[in-house]
Amino acid sequence: MAYTYDDYLTEDMLSLHDEMAVKILICYFLRQINRPITPTQLAEIATSDGIVNYFTYSSVVESMLESGMLTLRQDGDEEYYVLSEAARAGADSFKQQVPQRFRNKILSAGLKFFARLKNENDVKISISEQDKGYLVGVTCTDMGIVLMDLKIYAPDEEQAKLLADKIRLNPTDFYAKVIDFATENEEYQPEVKEVDDL
């Protein structure tokens, strides 16, 4: 039976320290995500979940900027990383040198990061105290259109916060479930029982 590098990795070994592997991983991630990404965003994604050690990451990015593999492009007030053509090609050619576990982990971290960013822009959640209990407000928007504006009652602050936290985990799914329920809802049909002993 043939073993791969992945077979020897455990959960407490999830930080890459090999600078060449980190370079390939960053190129691979930027190639796959294919969208503008700021230095702060990339640092947060790459060092989250124990993917890359922060000091290794900082050293690698500095080296990539010096060599021209990575450049900074100004767009309004923001600066974004851009991969050179050689780095883009290398991302495809050399990705196998980085274990699949790390490639999956950085892609997952990036997708979660940008989903959270979109949710923060498109979904507003508030908690307001009432005479009796609390109301959790959920407003979902898309391109300036209000898709849903909903208030849910909670008897106390703890339950209101729990509701808000659960909605924040995946507001898109919450909205979809509300729509599914509304479209599948049917008229109430009472169960009829005759009373014999009148």
Side-chain angles (χ1 to χ4, degrees):
M1 178 177 173
Y3 290 97
T4 66
Y5 183 60
D6 279 342
D7 296 324
Y8 297 99
L9 289 173
T10 62
E11 288 302 314
D12 57 349
M13 295 168 59
L14 279 179
S15 183
L16 275 185
H17 296 284
D18 177 349
E19 293 201 359
M20 181 54 74
V22 173
K23 279 183 186 178
I24 294 168
L25 185 66
I26 289 171
C27 291
Y28 169 79
F29 173 71
L30 291 173
R31 174 90 171 86
Q32 290 292 314
I33 209 78
N34 197 28
R35 60 170 292 159
I37 185 165
T38 68
T40 305
Q41 291 170 342
L42 183 59
E44 183 176 335
I45 291 164
T47 59
S48 68
D49 294 336
I51 301 167
V52 177
N53 172 286
Y54 178 77
F55 298 105
T56 305
Y57 167 81
S58 299
S59 171
V60 164
V61 167
E62 187 177 326
S63 167
M64 290 174 76
L65 287 167
E66 286 172 5
S67 70
M69 289 176 74
L70 205 55
T71 55
L72 277 170
R73 180 176 293 162
Q74 190 80 28
D75 186 4
D77 295 335
E78 293 278 13
E79 283 187 321
Y80 296 95
Y81 282 133
V82 178
L83 275 179
S84 70
E85 283 306 313
R88 288 173 69 84
D92 293 332
S93 303
F94 298 107
K95 69 180 181 185
Q96 296 300 332
Q97 292 185 24
V98 178
Q100 181 76 45
R101 179 182 290 190
F102 290 106
R103 298 199 313 266
N104 290 347
K105 205 155 178 64
I106 198 168
L107 273 181
S108 175
L111 293 171
K112 284 179 189 173
F113 178 87
F114 287 113
R116 190 178 76 234
L117 210 58
K118 182 174 183 350
N119 289 342
E120 287 170 2
N121 292 331
D122 293 348
V123 179
K124 303 297 180 215
I125 299 174
S126 61
I127 297 175
S128 57
E129 189 173 1
Q130 306 297 302
D131 290 339
K132 293 181 179 178
Y134 290 77
L135 282 180
V136 179
V138 184
T139 304
C140 298
T141 60
D142 187 23
M143 298 178 69
I145 298 168
V146 176
L147 303 175
M148 178 176 71
D149 192 3
L150 179 69
K151 291 188 177 11
I152 305 167
Y153 173 79
D156 56 50
E157 187 177 12
E158 186 179 343
Q159 289 184 54
K161 286 179 178 176
L162 179 66
L163 266 175
D165 289 344
K166 284 291 190 181
I167 294 166
R168 274 191 199 97
L169 284 175
N170 193 346
T172 304
D173 192 45
F174 173 77
Y175 171 73
K177 284 177 178 170
V178 169
I179 295 302
D180 284 348
F181 181 80
T183 55
E184 292 170 10
N185 197 26
E186 295 178 358
E187 182 183 1
Y188 168 63
Q189 298 292 335
E191 186 179 335
V192 178
K193 287 186 179 178
E194 286 190 355
V195 179
D196 295 327
D197 56 345
L198 287 179

